[in-house]
Amino acid sequence: MLAPALERTILQQKINSLKKEKNAVILAHYYQEPAIQEVADFIGDSLELSKKAAESTADIIVFAGVHFMAETAKILNPSKKVILPDMQAGCSLAESCPPEAFKKLKAQYPDHVVVTYINCSAEIKAMSDLVCTSSNAEKIINSIPAEKQIIFAPDKNLGKYLIQKTGRQMLLWDGSCIVHEAFSLDKLLQLFREHPKARIIAHPESEPQVLKVANYIGSTSGMLDHVKNSDHNIFIVATEAGILHQMQKEVPWKTLIPAPAKEDNTCACSECAFMKLNTLQKLYTCLEKEAPEISFSEGIMEQALVPIQRMLQLS
Ligand code: 13P
Ligand code: SF4
């Protein structure tokens, strides 16, 4: 039996040669496990990954992330093969917004502009006027004429944060991210008392009480840039713990502490079980077999492309 480190290196080498052979590109989100991030051609937040997908010249896009991200890549590249290591890699936000229920809400407010967070299904995007990510949401909301009413879905926490930032009243869908809702304010404040020089940084999917004590709020890439450019040396990081891999690589001399979850767990952090369904082995198998592949029912793809393109133009 091979040692795990050797096994990992061999798999990574096999993935790298398959990538070349098949003209494939691996796009990975920051929440993926380190072994996957190491073989990725590009690591980024949702907006950066959508942009990379839009400009890709590869024949195959391997999306090391969750289903809605791979779907977005396919919508932007209808003629390319887009594969996802584990089709079960979903998202609590996307699941919280079923198309039939959303259609009913939309029908009640026909004059509202519909803005959806990218963490939703293609069916929901197809019913939207604009899509946004956590890094451009404020800009997207501000681009809507002041006299227009807005429906924002599915993340109520990001929605509340945007209401506060933009001063726009919005009708919010009642969805949330289980990973960002898992943070404990009490434990976070206790950690801060132990590290009084620390800066608290948080993702806007976090609950309002966590955002209230944060020194910086931003997307995963925003948080990474903040940690790199800040004069401070200790950070308590309130987002999925996978980001710490890339952050620590960028600033090895800084102390990065994951924000603790309400439930006691081994990592004293919050991890996305959906993101972690992807493994290096599954990534290899999916590239080898070129499956499972993202596919769509007729019509949805064309409709969902419109609000995504509007977002990319505005970003
Ligand atoms: P960003 O990487 O765009 O900040 O999104 C975070 C997230 O929860 C992705 O699922
Ligand atoms: Fe969805 Fe939250 Fe996981 Fe991101 S971290 S994929 S928003 S459940």
Side-chain angles (χ1 to χ4, degrees):
M1 206 163 111
L2 295 174
L6 183 57
E7 209 172 329
R8 168 176 161 156
T9 310
I10 293 172
L11 255 183
Q12 287 177 328
Q13 282 167 353
K14 284 182 173 176
I15 290 169
N16 284 331
S17 34
L18 268 183
K19 250 192 339 192
K20 275 198 202 118
E21 195 185 298
K22 293 177 184 254
N23 187 27
V25 68
I26 300 179
L27 304 181
H29 190 268
Y30 291 119
Y31 298 165
Q32 291 294 286
E33 62 174 51
I36 291 181
Q37 293 192 34
E38 282 160 17
V39 287
D41 297 283
F42 185 79
I43 313 164
D45 71 1
S46 308
L47 180 63
E48 292 164 337
L49 292 170
S50 308
K51 284 183 175 166
K52 280 285 162 193
E55 64 201 33
S56 173
T57 53
D59 295 319
I60 300 176
I61 298 176
V62 189
F63 215 109
V66 290
H67 192 267
F68 76 81
M69 295 178 172
E71 255 187 1
T72 307
K74 179 67 184 177
I75 294 164
L76 288 162
N77 293 279
S79 61
K80 287 185 184 143
K81 196 173 255 187
V82 178
I83 52 179
L84 178 66
D86 191 320
M87 270 298 174
Q88 302 306 314
C91 167
S92 67
L93 273 169
E95 277 167 24
S96 76
C97 198
E100 272 314 306
F102 191 67
K103 199 171 159 185
K104 278 187 193 146
L105 177 85
K106 208 183 124 138
Q108 281 172 25
Y109 302 94
D111 296 329
H112 281 47
V113 174
V114 177
V115 183
T116 50
Y117 189 33
I118 198 162
N119 299 36
C120 65
S121 67
E123 284 85 353
I124 300 295
K125 289 185 178 84
M127 287 187 248
S128 309
D129 296 301
L130 284 157
V131 165
C132 71
T133 74
S134 52
S135 57
N136 62 17
E138 206 180 322
K139 200 174 187 179
I140 299 283
I141 299 296
N142 283 331
S143 77
I144 300 167
E147 68 280 8
K148 290 275 182 196
Q149 306 264 61
I150 303 168
I151 295 177
F152 185 82
D155 189 359
K156 64 176 177 196
N157 291 322
L158 176 61
K160 283 179 199 164
Y161 171 69
L162 290 169
I163 289 174
Q164 194 203 320
K165 286 293 277 184
T166 63
R168 299 291 293 267
Q169 279 314 309
M170 302 194 288
L171 192 65
L172 303 182
W173 187 262
D174 188 15
S176 57
C177 162
I178 44 168
V179 177
H180 289 87
E181 277 207 338
F183 296 120
S184 154
L185 182 64
D186 289 346
K187 288 187 189 173
L188 178 66
L189 293 176
Q190 177 55 35
L191 199 57
F192 181 67
R193 281 191 282 274
E194 289 162 25
H195 304 274
K197 289 203 172 130
R199 303 284 287 176
I200 299 173
I201 60 170
H203 194 280
E205 287 172 20
S206 308
E207 292 178 306
Q209 66 272 22
V210 170
L211 296 183
K212 208 170 166 188
V213 297
N215 301 105
Y216 173 82
I217 299 166
S219 74
T220 49
S221 288
M223 293 167 95
L224 196 66
D225 286 345
H226 180 78
V227 167
K228 269 197 304 193
N229 299 325
S230 163
D231 293 335
H232 292 82
N233 282 315
I234 310 176
F235 295 88
I236 300 176
V237 184
T239 192
E240 211 269 356
I243 186 91
L244 295 176
H245 175 68
Q246 202 55 35
M247 258 184 198
Q248 202 69 79
K249 251 172 95 173
E250 304 260 10
V251 285
W253 62 93
K254 295 197 180 185
T255 305
L256 309 171
I257 312 166
K262 291 168 193 155
E263 299 274 326
D264 289 329
N265 56 21
T266 44
C267 71
C269 70
S270 188
E271 287 189 307
C272 178
F274 298 111
M275 285 275 182
K276 265 48 181 193
L277 279 176
N278 295 328
T279 61
L280 197 62
Q281 179 62 55
K282 285 183 198 169
L283 179 65
Y284 170 69
T285 313
C286 124
L287 187 51
E288 190 194 26
K289 297 195 181 339
E290 299 182 19
E293 189 183 348
I294 301 288
S295 62
F296 284 96
S297 48
E298 285 288 303
I300 293 291
M301 212 152 53
E302 292 78 5
Q303 289 168 42
L305 179 62
V306 178
I308 298 173
Q309 274 182 331
R310 281 188 192 134
M311 169 188 81
L312 292 176
Q313 277 156 12
L314 284 167
S315 299

